[in-house]
Amino acid sequence: MKTKHSNMSRRKFITLTGGAAGFAAMGGFGMNTDWALNNPEIDAKTLDNNKVTTDILVVGSGMAGLFAAVKAHDAGAKVLMVSKGRLGASGQTPFAKGIFAYDKDKEALSIDEFVAKVSRSALGTNNKAYTKQLAEHSLARVNELKEWGFFESSLYNKSFSKPIEERNIPVQERVTITHLIKEDNRVVGAAGFSIDEQKVLFYEAKSVILCTGAGGFKPNGFPIGDLTHDGTVMAYNIGAKVTGKEWNDGHPARSENPAACYDGWGDMFEQKPSTTSIEIRHDLGVDMNYMAYVNGGAAQMGRPGMDSGSNKVSGGPYRPEEFSDQGGPGGPPKDGEERKGLPGDDDRKRPPRKDGEAAPPGMGGGVVGGSSAGMAIHKAEGLVPINDKCESTIPGLYAAGDALGSYMAGGIYTQIGSSLSGSAVQGAIAGETAAKYCKKIKSYTISTSKIESIEEEILAPLKRGAGYSPAWVTQTLQSIMIPNFIIYIKKENLMRAALAYIEELRDQHVPYLRASNLHELRLAHETKNMVISAEMKLRASLMRTESRCSHYRLDYPEIDNENWQAWINIFKGEDGKMKLEKQPFNTWATALKNKEIEQIS
């Protein structure tokens, strides 16, 4: 009998015997279970839980969160901001250095012409209402940032703190929000825990604004390690629709100092933010990934089929003819070419390269796009909006910035500097709209039974006697999802194989995540969110049987305008399973009755 059980797989045995008891029983059958044991550094029973009441809870403290909190306060609402990191110093906001400002008195294109050109680059995937909104409001937001001192430093905490402190808006930092709370078909608050105060926290709020950013699979090479799609997954869990999971962000990066700023000469420098004007491109797709796939090994930055003197593309992702002469994003100047307008360039001419000298890594010879694995194009994934006011499909729940699937730029990165600007614009609109909503809504008291149930879910990994470490599950997830031939250059058979692995993690590993302290508890919840996001990404990529913008299918390499002029929305069905549906481009979800949306289980 002993020999029989010793030959049984860990997973099968745990499944048969159940959770921690299974891990314990494995030791009794001679199996080494040291890897599974939890040695908690803190007793979950000693953690207090606190309840906080506010009108609006802003989750996130980047650019979108800043404007959401400020504008909601100015509209008369009581506001509380909570952040997993530090104000102005977490998420992607600290690394964004260009911010778009449309000045109608200086630009050659009208707003309508700007929107039309973005749509051409985005192959119709952009939401025109949000593209237009960006142009209409960007200059006002930039002018406010100037007043706060935003452009005077490469670090943003000081300038972000100015309007927050002037308004006495309370900010709670290093708080991990794990749950949104819904009652009577509307959001009524959120819950999470504070790492520093060692407390479980419940927030009763008339409205919640998610400014939680996007996320990835904690890849090397791009500064998104603290972004794990938390807001998206929390909203999905209470019934909100999310979108944009098939798109990919193709940011390249250096292997050394990946988050640093470099000028056009490959020199690292401390860069202050600056404004950008209209410069519509077709960037940050999967061109480099395709080139690496067909050529093998490392690839220099550029598009497939390019040589040092050509912009011609042979094969790979489609690029509109209007944008076919654009080089790779931020490419280095050619020999003898002037490079103007970039900080640190000093309007110099690039001296001729020596024989065999490569372009600076990340400029002309860097890491293949994939350093942000798991993330989509800015503003192309997140909660589905039902209007141009950043309102989600759940009453009282709003989102802004990369947490909102606004398709402001579409499924490809179109306007330089639009991501940071778009976050400011959308944050302001979400804050003002949520404040108006709150005036019509009464406060809701979260029941004791609900608090107890959610607290049990939050602390479960901390109470678990044995299980899988978040680090191990995350590493396994990365090995499944990050390969170029899974997430970037897609084929049905390989994606289905990856999906089988992800379902295994979801069903047999996530339920047994363990945590020995509050930091590891945060990692456990982040890991769970990444697994759900990976499933979304694979299912959406399988569903879109075409190639468009930053989504490339090797088995469906052409654009299919007959069947795929549509976004893909994802939601949790009544049976708890993930459902997908088509939403035609530039239509609002509320205007589409169920019979008008093509739903696919």
Side-chain angles (χ1 to χ4, degrees), residues 57 175-181 189-193 200-203 234 446 451 454-455 458:
L57 179 69
V175 171
T176 300
I177 300 295
T178 59
H179 290 67
L180 292 173
I181 304 172
F193 59 94
V200 178
L201 299 169
F202 288 86
Y203 301 92
M234 287 188 291
I446 303 171
I451 289 175
I454 292 175
E455 182 174 353
I458 292 173

Short mmCIF file of all heavy atoms in Angstrom, two decimals, residues 57 175-181 189-193 200-203 234 446 451 454-455 458:
data_model
loop_
_atom_site.label_atom_id
_atom_site.label_comp_id
_atom_site.label_asym_id
_atom_site.label_seq_id
_atom_site.Cartn_x
_atom_site.Cartn_y
_atom_site.Cartn_z
N LEU A 57 -14.44 55.89 -3.21
CA LEU A 57 -13.16 55.23 -2.97
C LEU A 57 -12.41 55.18 -4.29
O LEU A 57 -12.88 54.58 -5.26
CB LEU A 57 -13.37 53.81 -2.44
CG LEU A 57 -12.10 53.01 -2.16
CD1 LEU A 57 -11.35 53.59 -0.96
CD2 LEU A 57 -12.42 51.54 -1.92
N VAL A 175 -1.76 49.51 0.69
CA VAL A 175 -2.99 48.77 0.97
C VAL A 175 -3.35 47.94 -0.26
O VAL A 175 -3.48 48.48 -1.36
CB VAL A 175 -4.16 49.72 1.32
CG1 VAL A 175 -5.48 48.95 1.39
CG2 VAL A 175 -3.89 50.42 2.65
N THR A 176 -3.48 46.65 -0.08
CA THR A 176 -3.86 45.75 -1.17
C THR A 176 -5.36 45.52 -1.15
O THR A 176 -5.89 44.93 -0.21
CB THR A 176 -3.12 44.40 -1.06
OG1 THR A 176 -1.70 44.62 -1.10
CG2 THR A 176 -3.52 43.46 -2.19
N ILE A 177 -6.05 46.01 -2.17
CA ILE A 177 -7.49 45.77 -2.30
C ILE A 177 -7.68 44.45 -3.04
O ILE A 177 -7.13 44.25 -4.13
CB ILE A 177 -8.20 46.91 -3.05
CG1 ILE A 177 -8.01 48.23 -2.30
CG2 ILE A 177 -9.69 46.61 -3.23
CD1 ILE A 177 -8.65 48.28 -0.93
N THR A 178 -8.46 43.55 -2.46
CA THR A 178 -8.65 42.22 -3.03
C THR A 178 -10.07 41.96 -3.50
O THR A 178 -10.30 41.07 -4.32
CB THR A 178 -8.29 41.14 -1.99
OG1 THR A 178 -9.13 41.30 -0.84
CG2 THR A 178 -6.84 41.26 -1.56
N HIS A 179 -11.04 42.70 -2.95
CA HIS A 179 -12.45 42.45 -3.26
C HIS A 179 -13.21 43.74 -3.51
O HIS A 179 -13.01 44.73 -2.79
CB HIS A 179 -13.15 41.73 -2.09
CG HIS A 179 -12.72 40.32 -1.87
ND1 HIS A 179 -11.45 39.98 -1.44
CD2 HIS A 179 -13.40 39.14 -2.02
CE1 HIS A 179 -11.37 38.66 -1.33
NE2 HIS A 179 -12.53 38.14 -1.68
N LEU A 180 -14.07 43.73 -4.50
CA LEU A 180 -15.12 44.72 -4.63
C LEU A 180 -16.39 44.11 -4.06
O LEU A 180 -16.61 42.89 -4.18
CB LEU A 180 -15.33 45.11 -6.09
CG LEU A 180 -14.19 45.90 -6.75
CD1 LEU A 180 -14.47 46.08 -8.23
CD2 LEU A 180 -14.01 47.25 -6.08
N ILE A 181 -17.22 44.93 -3.46
CA ILE A 181 -18.42 44.42 -2.80
C ILE A 181 -19.65 44.97 -3.52
O ILE A 181 -19.78 46.18 -3.69
CB ILE A 181 -18.45 44.81 -1.31
CG1 ILE A 181 -17.16 44.31 -0.62
CG2 ILE A 181 -19.68 44.24 -0.62
CD1 ILE A 181 -16.99 44.80 0.81
N GLY A 189 -18.76 49.06 -2.01
CA GLY A 189 -17.51 49.17 -1.28
C GLY A 189 -16.45 48.21 -1.77
O GLY A 189 -16.56 47.62 -2.84
N ALA A 190 -15.43 48.05 -0.94
CA ALA A 190 -14.30 47.20 -1.28
C ALA A 190 -13.65 46.70 0.00
O ALA A 190 -13.96 47.18 1.11
CB ALA A 190 -13.29 47.97 -2.13
N ALA A 191 -12.76 45.75 -0.14
CA ALA A 191 -12.06 45.20 1.03
C ALA A 191 -10.64 44.81 0.64
O ALA A 191 -10.35 44.51 -0.52
CB ALA A 191 -12.82 43.99 1.58
N GLY A 192 -9.76 44.81 1.63
CA GLY A 192 -8.37 44.43 1.42
C GLY A 192 -7.63 44.43 2.73
O GLY A 192 -8.22 44.23 3.80
N PHE A 193 -6.33 44.67 2.68
CA PHE A 193 -5.54 44.65 3.91
C PHE A 193 -4.36 45.60 3.80
O PHE A 193 -3.85 45.87 2.71
CB PHE A 193 -5.07 43.24 4.26
CG PHE A 193 -4.21 42.60 3.20
CD1 PHE A 193 -2.82 42.69 3.26
CD2 PHE A 193 -4.79 41.89 2.16
CE1 PHE A 193 -2.04 42.09 2.29
CE2 PHE A 193 -4.00 41.30 1.17
CZ PHE A 193 -2.62 41.40 1.25
N VAL A 200 -7.11 44.10 8.38
CA VAL A 200 -8.04 43.85 7.27
C VAL A 200 -8.96 45.07 7.20
O VAL A 200 -9.47 45.52 8.23
CB VAL A 200 -8.86 42.57 7.49
CG1 VAL A 200 -9.84 42.36 6.35
CG2 VAL A 200 -7.93 41.36 7.62
N LEU A 201 -9.13 45.61 6.02
CA LEU A 201 -9.86 46.88 5.87
C LEU A 201 -11.09 46.70 5.00
O LEU A 201 -11.04 46.07 3.94
CB LEU A 201 -8.94 47.93 5.24
CG LEU A 201 -7.67 48.27 6.05
CD1 LEU A 201 -6.72 49.11 5.21
CD2 LEU A 201 -8.04 48.99 7.33
N PHE A 202 -12.20 47.28 5.46
CA PHE A 202 -13.44 47.29 4.70
C PHE A 202 -13.85 48.74 4.45
O PHE A 202 -13.82 49.57 5.36
CB PHE A 202 -14.55 46.55 5.45
CG PHE A 202 -14.37 45.06 5.46
CD1 PHE A 202 -13.58 44.44 6.43
CD2 PHE A 202 -14.96 44.27 4.49
CE1 PHE A 202 -13.39 43.08 6.43
CE2 PHE A 202 -14.77 42.90 4.47
CZ PHE A 202 -13.98 42.30 5.45
N TYR A 203 -14.20 49.02 3.21
CA TYR A 203 -14.57 50.37 2.81
C TYR A 203 -16.01 50.38 2.34
O TYR A 203 -16.36 49.68 1.37
CB TYR A 203 -13.66 50.86 1.69
CG TYR A 203 -12.19 50.86 2.05
CD1 TYR A 203 -11.38 49.77 1.79
CD2 TYR A 203 -11.60 51.97 2.65
CE1 TYR A 203 -10.04 49.76 2.12
CE2 TYR A 203 -10.25 51.98 2.98
CZ TYR A 203 -9.48 50.87 2.72
OH TYR A 203 -8.15 50.87 3.05
N MET A 234 -11.07 41.87 -9.95
CA MET A 234 -12.04 42.13 -8.91
C MET A 234 -13.40 42.49 -9.50
O MET A 234 -14.45 42.04 -9.03
CB MET A 234 -11.56 43.26 -7.99
CG MET A 234 -10.44 42.89 -7.07
SD MET A 234 -10.09 44.20 -5.86
CE MET A 234 -9.40 45.49 -6.91
N ILE A 446 -22.45 47.44 5.00
CA ILE A 446 -22.11 46.06 4.67
C ILE A 446 -22.41 45.17 5.87
O ILE A 446 -22.02 45.46 7.01
CB ILE A 446 -20.63 45.95 4.29
CG1 ILE A 446 -20.32 46.90 3.12
CG2 ILE A 446 -20.27 44.52 3.90
CD1 ILE A 446 -18.84 47.02 2.80
N ILE A 451 -18.96 40.69 5.76
CA ILE A 451 -17.61 41.02 6.21
C ILE A 451 -16.85 39.76 6.62
O ILE A 451 -15.69 39.55 6.25
CB ILE A 451 -17.67 42.03 7.38
CG1 ILE A 451 -18.10 43.41 6.84
CG2 ILE A 451 -16.32 42.13 8.09
CD1 ILE A 451 -18.31 44.44 7.92
N ILE A 454 -15.92 37.63 3.46
CA ILE A 454 -14.83 38.20 2.67
C ILE A 454 -13.51 38.13 3.42
O ILE A 454 -12.46 37.83 2.84
CB ILE A 454 -15.17 39.65 2.27
CG1 ILE A 454 -16.34 39.66 1.28
CG2 ILE A 454 -13.95 40.35 1.67
CD1 ILE A 454 -16.82 41.05 0.91
N GLU A 455 -13.55 38.40 4.72
CA GLU A 455 -12.31 38.32 5.50
C GLU A 455 -11.73 36.92 5.46
O GLU A 455 -10.51 36.74 5.38
CB GLU A 455 -12.59 38.73 6.95
CG GLU A 455 -11.34 38.74 7.81
CD GLU A 455 -11.58 39.28 9.21
OE1 GLU A 455 -12.69 39.78 9.48
OE2 GLU A 455 -10.65 39.20 10.04
N ILE A 458 -9.96 36.59 2.16
CA ILE A 458 -8.72 37.37 2.10
C ILE A 458 -7.59 36.65 2.82
O ILE A 458 -6.46 36.57 2.33
CB ILE A 458 -8.94 38.77 2.73
CG1 ILE A 458 -9.87 39.61 1.86
CG2 ILE A 458 -7.59 39.49 2.91
CD1 ILE A 458 -10.26 40.94 2.50
#
